[in-house]
Amino acid sequence: QKEVEQNSGPLSVPEGAIASLNCTYSDRGSQSFFWYRQYSGKSPELIMSIYSNGDKEDGRFTAQLNKASQYVSLLIRDSQPSDSATYLCAVIITGGFKTIFGAGTRLFVKA
Amino acid sequence: EPEVTQTPSHQVTQMGQEVILRCVPISNHLYFYWYRQILGQKVEFLVSFYNNEISEKSEIFDDQFSVERPDGSNFTLKIRSTKLEDSAMYFCASSEAGGSYGYTFGSGTRLTVV
């Protein structure tokens, strides 16, 4: 069974701090990795994609990938209360047409 | 910005009844998906659809489920005989390239089976 594991949280950070979210995956052959944000009662929204080892930055978000360790992370700099949401790590399974989602980490940013 | 549209937003149905959930994917996307999310649980893959046929399905997607693209714009999920455990949020998603660039999700249909 291909799995994506995340710490469910909640992770609580003060406004302006860096939030660090982590994810591990079991399918060593996976090539495409994503972070989605899901507000309560809403649908997932794609915020970052990463395909090669290293860092990828987009505004306040940085995704990090380490394929050898099968580890993906998301850093949110200058966290805002509006960043409070559940962050879903997602992986495309090798040879398949589906994306597998982790259970998500709930983030609270305190004003 | 292009959107994936789902209707209805909320449907209540009696156990054993058939329901059809509707989706209009983004017009230039070729890959379509249905996912579900039981309250408080993870987003679970149901089925992927490409070139007018199912490309992959999960164990959840049993004979009670079917998908169809009846015309050039709609993509539907039918549940033939609903069970209480089918109560969930159902999300339709579409993508350009097999999901390699990520999905765009619709706003979901909350299905409540009573």
Side-chain angles (χ1 to χ4, degrees):
Chain A
Q1 180 79 357
K2 311 295 186 184
E3 296 288 344
V4 178
E5 300 288 340
Q6 295 182 254
N7 186 328
S8 62
L11 173 66
S12 184
V13 300
E15 184 175 359
I18 295 175
S20 177
L21 306 162
N22 305 312
C23 168
T24 58
Y25 60 94
S26 63
D27 180 16
R28 184 168 287 279
S30 296
Q31 298 295 324
S32 303
F33 307 87
F34 308 93
W35 285 97
Y36 287 80
R37 178 176 61 201
Q38 187 176 29
Y39 292 112
S40 181
K42 303 294 186 183
S43 59
E45 174 192 10
L46 180 66
I47 54 172
M48 289 289 288
S49 58
I50 188 165
Y51 307 102
S52 53
N53 284 329
D55 295 359
K56 179 182 177 183
E57 187 174 318
D58 184 1
R60 296 186 297 111
F61 299 101
T62 299
Q64 300 173 317
L65 174 61
N66 183 327
K67 290 184 180 179
S69 301
Q70 296 174 239
Y71 179 89
V72 193
S73 65
L74 179 70
L75 300 178
I76 306 174
R77 288 182 300 282
D78 188 24
S79 295
Q80 302 296 309
S82 58
D83 294 326
S84 298
T86 298
Y87 289 81
L88 310 178
C89 176
V91 177
I92 293 185
I93 299 302
T94 308
F97 290 90
K98 64 185 179 188
T99 298
I100 299 298
F101 287 80
T105 299
R106 292 175 63 197
L107 172 66
F108 290 108
V109 181
K110 299 173 292 185
Chain B
E1 183 155 337
E3 288 185 343
V4 174
T5 304
Q6 288 188 245
T7 54
S9 58
H10 191 187
Q11 177 141 9
V12 181
T13 189
Q14 294 217 323
M15 192 169 50
Q17 294 297 303
E18 175 183 287
V19 295
I20 297 176
L21 310 184
R22 303 181 191 280
C23 171
V24 178
I26 293 173
S27 59
N28 65 334
H29 284 185
L30 301 176
Y31 298 82
F32 315 120
Y33 311 86
W34 284 100
Y35 281 78
R36 79 172 187 189
Q37 188 174 32
I38 295 170
L39 189 64
Q41 298 187 24
K42 64 170 65 177
V43 176
E44 298 177 290
F45 171 77
L46 292 179
V47 65
S48 58
F49 192 87
Y50 170 70
N51 200 26
N52 283 317
E53 61 182 24
I54 291 173
S55 46
E56 192 164 358
K57 61 183 180 180
S58 73
E59 292 175 355
I60 302 168
F61 194 89
D62 61 20
D63 292 343
Q64 294 300 312
F65 291 87
S66 62
V67 290
E68 195 177 37
R69 189 155 162 82
D71 52 42
S73 59
N74 290 284
F75 179 51
T76 62
L77 174 69
K78 181 192 290 186
I79 309 175
R80 261 178 273 282
S81 178
T82 49
K83 306 181 184 70
L84 294 176
E85 55 264 36
D86 294 328
S87 295
M89 182 73 92
Y90 287 80
F91 293 113
C92 174
S94 68
S95 69
E96 289 180 84
S100 297
Y101 304 132
Y103 297 164
T104 301
F105 280 89
S107 55
T109 293
R110 179 163 297 285
L111 177 65
T112 303
V113 182
V114 297

